Amino acid sequence: MKIRKLVLKEMFQRGNQLISSLLAITLGIAVIVAIKNITIFSGKAVARELDALGANILILPKAATVQDYYSADFQDEEIPEDYVTALTNSDIQGIDNLSPKLSIPIKLHGRKATLTGILPKNEFKSKALWQGTLGIFERPEGCGTVGVNIPGVTDSPQNMVRKRVIDDLGENDILVGSDIAAMLKLQEGSSIEILGRLFKTVAILPSTGTVDDNRIFAHLHTVQKLSKKESVLNAIEIVGCCSAISKGLIQKINRLLPDARVVTISQIVQTQLSTNELMNKLSALMLIVIIIVGGASIANYMFANVYERRREIGILMAMGAQSSWIAKVFLTKAVFIGTTGGIIGYVFGTLMAIFLGPHIAGIPVLPVPILALYGVLLSMGVSFGASILPVIKATKIDPFVIMQEE
Amino acid sequence: MLKAENIRKTFIHRHNNVTGLKSVSLEVKEGEFLSITGPSGSGKSTLLLTLGGMSAPTEGKILWNDESVYHWDQAKRAAWRGKTIGFVFQTFNLIPYLSVLENVRIALKLSGNGAASDSTEILELLEKMKLSDRLQHNPKELSVGQQQRVALAQALVKNPQVILADEPTGNLDPDTAAEILALLLALHNEGKTIVLVTHDPHIAKLAQRNVRIIEGELWCANNADPGLRL
């Protein structure tokens, strides 16, 4: 007879006790899974909003300043386009979005504007050299929006525009900032001549309240040709994962591109970091609560179980059971309770998150399968840890004393 | 074979310090059927559990083939107990949530004397114990006589050298008690060493030798009267 069978038979014989002990750990895991699930999606929602603030890392020519970047006044300071290749071919992780830019000042109908060349995402995919290196855009779990597709949210045109992740942009297509569009009375589909070339307006960007409202975005290579600045840029905007920034992303880029100036936009980074920190603290607090409440509940159940079964333990010892075998019986039970509680807790917690998430946090929530693993491991850990003292007590039972109780 | 040398055993029972055995010496020979009699609380069960390696004496030694059982570590003593000693208790002490078959199987597994899946051997034994039609029944579904037969099967399945039986008929009606005693006698005839604790002098007479224990002291009593102090 295997220990597993013995444990299962005992547990099902004392069904009520089993249900009460499972209930405690299941509810605990369900609550933490629900909170964690909502927190993950809430964190991603916050990250999406923060992403709208724009890049948090800039790669600029050595002599340029952040002021030059915002005013698009680079005075011929340039960096090679090869820096993009260097970044995409590196093993640096934590870059959510990478946007090479070449900005040149232009005049349209007597009004100053900025023509900014950008590289649409399909350019990354089309370059053989960059094939397979798009992993650089994989953000670590819990850090931003990449890898999480919520229909109607992440793929909305407004979000794509805000993040400046443009999938496709033709050679003669332009995206026009709201202010300059209003000034020039441009609409979607209308054409305009810039530096001697006729462009078609494919979209008017929503107002952002930034210098972007006065910019016209065209394909990078078109702008390079028009400005006769082949294969150069004057900025690479990076939306870096804030946790990666705190783990030395800037230093890694600095080492990779020693001739460029790498700067962080500290206010954005700080906001991202403090938001993530708040989320992490909330999860940690819940983790402590579940460990204390769930652990105490299981420990109480296991102590009661050992006391109730002290005679059985004596019988097994009389049959030749060693202390280690007795310990295995109770620890197997702890693992079973932990595993079952973890699985059921994950299912209930996920359902709670899916149904309550939209009401509590105002965001759609989807299941996060990895939480099943974390839930089971946590539940098993709590159950196992809480059972150690009762198990020691079980192995120390003196069968003589128990038999004297007859 | 199994020897107690100057055993003294004190223990705490309900907050009182109790002396269960006072300098008891006893030798159980191979193949012997020994009965231990005495009034309630005289120390019969304490002596049996101490002989079986279940409880260390406060003083003295339990020797198995001249090796001190309580000088072994816990694991070795448990293994020895599993292989060598078969306990039978008055209250049967079956695992309540296991079937008859499983109760016997677990005893065999813990003894290390055979494979737990050695079903043929187990089924033969249970047939001998007239329990073939009760294999899947739990203890509470059995009569007291059947429960004691299961307890005896638990003790026998591992083919122990010594059977230590503590009032095995104490909870049984006379007919069932006679059945169990007949089984013990048959086992003795097959060469098993049996130590039987009982307060019933008639049952004690079935044994080859009887010792009487009174207030923790052992007396030679080959007849019903207290005789020479051992």
Side-chain angles (χ1 to χ4, degrees):
Chain A
M1 163 165 277
K2 291 197 165 64
I3 287 178
R4 192 177 61 241
K5 189 174 179 187
L6 185 82
V7 168
L8 286 174
K9 282 217 151 201
E10 189 274 330
M11 283 201 299
F12 287 116
Q13 199 229 8
R14 296 180 172 98
N16 289 341
Q17 289 178 7
L18 174 68
I19 288 167
S20 62
S21 68
L22 267 180
L23 204 61
I25 191 75
T26 300
L27 282 178
I29 295 295
V31 168
I32 200 162
V33 164
I35 288 174
K36 191 72 189 166
N37 203 332
I38 292 172
T39 305
I40 286 171
F41 279 84
S42 166
K44 290 180 190 310
V46 170
R48 277 195 300 277
E49 295 302 317
L50 290 173
D51 284 353
L53 296 174
N56 50 19
I57 300 171
L58 297 174
I59 299 174
L60 302 172
K62 203 79 173 174
T65 64
V66 177
Q67 181 63 32
D68 295 336
Y69 162 76
Y70 280 116
S71 62
D73 182 16
F74 283 98
Q75 304 291 336
D76 293 329
E77 288 128 1
E78 290 150 1
I79 52 177
E81 195 178 341
D82 289 347
Y83 280 12
V84 177
T85 311
L87 279 168
T88 52
N89 281 347
S90 72
D91 59 356
I92 295 173
Q93 289 189 330
I95 295 177
D96 182 23
N97 189 25
L98 187 150
S99 178
K101 283 189 168 60
L102 175 65
S103 294
I104 55 169
I106 54 169
K107 272 193 174 182
L108 287 172
H109 303 293
R111 183 184 165 85
K112 280 185 182 177
T114 304
L115 179 63
T116 298
I118 57 172
L119 205 57
K121 216 168 181 178
N122 63 351
E123 288 286 323
F124 286 90
K125 290 175 185 167
S126 67
K127 287 204 174 188
L129 198 56
W130 296 347
Q131 285 289 345
T133 58
L134 286 172
I136 197 170
F137 296 116
E138 293 294 331
R139 271 185 153 185
E141 185 64 32
C143 186
T145 56
V146 169
V148 178
N149 184 28
I150 304 173
V153 177
T154 38
D155 58 357
S156 71
Q158 191 178 23
N159 192 56
M160 295 301 278
V161 169
R162 282 200 309 180
K163 284 191 70 186
R164 299 181 211 145
V165 180
I166 309 299
D167 277 330
D168 192 11
L169 192 63
E171 276 187 14
N172 297 318
D173 291 342
I174 52 171
L175 305 165
V176 184
S178 59
D179 284 357
I180 193 80
M183 193 66 63
L184 301 173
K185 296 186 175 55
L186 286 173
Q187 294 174 333
E188 276 187 26
S190 59
S191 300
I192 185 169
E193 189 179 313
I194 304 171
L195 298 175
R197 187 164 181 163
L198 196 63
F199 286 93
K200 182 185 173 191
T201 306
V202 292
I204 306 295
L205 302 179
S207 175
T208 61
T210 68
V211 289
D212 288 353
D213 293 346
N214 201 37
R215 287 187 194 223
I216 295 172
F217 295 92
H219 194 291
L220 175 68
H221 297 153
T222 304
V223 176
Q224 285 172 335
K225 276 180 199 162
L226 287 175
S227 61
K228 298 183 175 57
K229 292 179 175 179
E230 299 286 338
S231 301
V232 294
L233 311 166
N234 45 33
I236 300 172
E237 291 180 356
I238 290 177
V239 179
C241 168
C242 44
S243 65
I245 293 173
S246 65
K247 287 176 189 163
L249 178 61
I250 306 300
Q251 290 81 348
K252 286 176 191 170
I253 297 174
N254 259 323
R255 278 197 293 274
L256 184 72
L257 308 172
D259 296 327
R261 181 161 185 242
V262 184
V263 293
T264 54
I265 302 174
S266 58
Q267 199 176 357
I268 295 174
V269 171
Q270 279 310 316
T271 308
Q272 290 170 330
L273 282 174
S274 58
T275 306
N276 277 10
E277 201 177 334
L278 185 69
M279 299 282 188
N280 290 337
K281 278 182 180 169
L282 188 66
S283 294
L285 181 70
M286 291 315 299
L287 193 68
I288 292 166
V289 169
I290 182 66
I291 287 171
I292 293 171
V293 175
S297 168
I298 287 181
N300 182 46
Y301 165 71
M302 291 299 272
F303 270 121
N305 193 244
V306 167
Y307 181 78
E308 199 171 291
R309 296 172 68 189
R310 64 198 187 284
R311 184 160 198 87
E312 183 189 322
I313 294 166
I315 298 166
L316 291 167
M317 285 179 167
M319 287 181 193
Q322 296 181 13
S323 299
S324 58
W325 193 86
I326 300 287
K328 270 186 209 164
V329 169
F330 283 93
L331 289 176
T332 303
K333 180 171 183 169
V335 168
F336 181 84
I337 291 172
T339 310
T340 311
I343 292 168
I344 300 174
Y346 167 75
V347 173
F348 274 117
T350 301
L351 289 174
M352 276 164 66
I354 289 170
F355 288 112
L356 297 179
H359 300 290
I360 293 172
I363 49 162
V365 175
L366 298 173
V368 180
I370 192 72
L371 288 181
L373 178 66
Y374 295 156
V376 169
L377 287 178
L378 174 64
S379 179
M380 274 174 59
V382 169
S383 181
F384 199 86
S387 301
I388 287 174
L389 281 179
V391 167
I392 290 172
K393 191 181 168 74
T395 60
K396 301 273 183 213
I397 278 178
D398 183 351
F400 174 75
V401 174
I402 303 305
M403 298 303 176
Q404 289 293 317
E405 290 177 1
E406 274 187 37
Chain B
M1 186 187 198
L2 186 59
K3 202 187 282 185
E5 275 187 4
N6 300 317
I7 295 299
R8 186 168 170 271
K9 173 79 182 172
T10 58
F11 55 91
I12 302 211
H13 185 58
R14 292 180 184 164
H15 308 293
N16 295 314
N17 203 354
V18 177
T19 302
L21 298 172
K22 300 171 189 168
S23 192
V24 170
S25 293
L26 176 71
E27 183 173 4
V28 183
K29 293 190 171 66
E30 191 169 357
E32 186 179 20
F33 189 165
L34 172 74
S35 65
I36 302 172
T37 52
S40 294
S42 58
K44 304 185 297 291
S45 298
T46 303
L47 176 59
L48 202 75
L49 291 169
T50 309
L51 279 171
M54 292 278 278
S55 178
T58 313
E59 287 172 19
K61 287 180 192 170
I62 298 293
L63 299 172
W64 171 254
N65 293 336
D66 297 326
E67 280 192 66
S68 179
V69 167
Y70 290 99
H71 283 154
W72 295 336
D73 62 25
Q74 188 267 344
K76 187 176 179 185
R77 194 164 56 253
W80 167 78
R81 192 165 57 232
K83 283 181 193 297
T84 315
I85 307 290
F87 278 103
V88 183
F89 297 101
Q90 180 180 358
T91 47
F92 324 132
N93 286 346
L94 303 175
I95 310 288
Y97 50 83
L98 297 183
S99 68
V100 168
L101 190 60
E102 288 163 343
N103 261 289
V104 179
R105 237 179 217 164
I106 197 167
L108 181 59
K109 178 191 167 66
L110 289 174
S111 74
N113 277 355
S117 58
D118 201 352
S119 292
T120 314
E121 193 180 321
I122 294 171
L123 292 173
E124 278 173 10
L125 178 64
L126 288 171
E127 193 177 350
K128 188 175 164 187
M129 294 287 164
K130 297 177 188 167
L131 289 164
S132 296
D133 55 343
R134 298 288 185 169
L135 298 181
Q136 302 307 328
H137 289 222
N138 279 4
K140 65 182 176 187
E141 297 168 322
L142 304 175
S143 70
V144 286
Q146 287 167 332
Q147 287 184 52
Q148 192 58 294
R149 290 208 296 272
V150 177
L152 204 53
Q154 274 188 327
L156 295 176
V157 72
K158 55 191 181 179
N159 196 23
Q161 287 175 263
V162 181
I163 294 172
L164 301 178
D166 187 4
E167 304 265 16
T169 57
N171 281 349
L172 306 179
D173 61 77
D175 290 343
T176 314
E179 267 182 53
I180 297 298
L181 290 171
L183 278 168
L184 287 173
L185 278 170
L187 289 167
H188 173 240
N189 290 336
E190 287 170 17
K192 294 276 181 228
T193 305
I194 298 174
V195 179
L196 172 72
V197 161
T198 179
H199 61 268
D200 186 335
H202 299 292
I203 292 172
K205 279 181 183 171
L206 295 171
Q208 290 171 311
R209 181 162 68 106
N210 171 236
V211 291
R212 189 164 170 79
I213 190 164
I214 301 168
E215 292 182 353
E217 289 184 288
L218 209 58
W219 296 75
C220 176
N222 276 323
N223 51 47
D225 297 322
L228 292 171
R229 187 180 159 188
L230 289 174

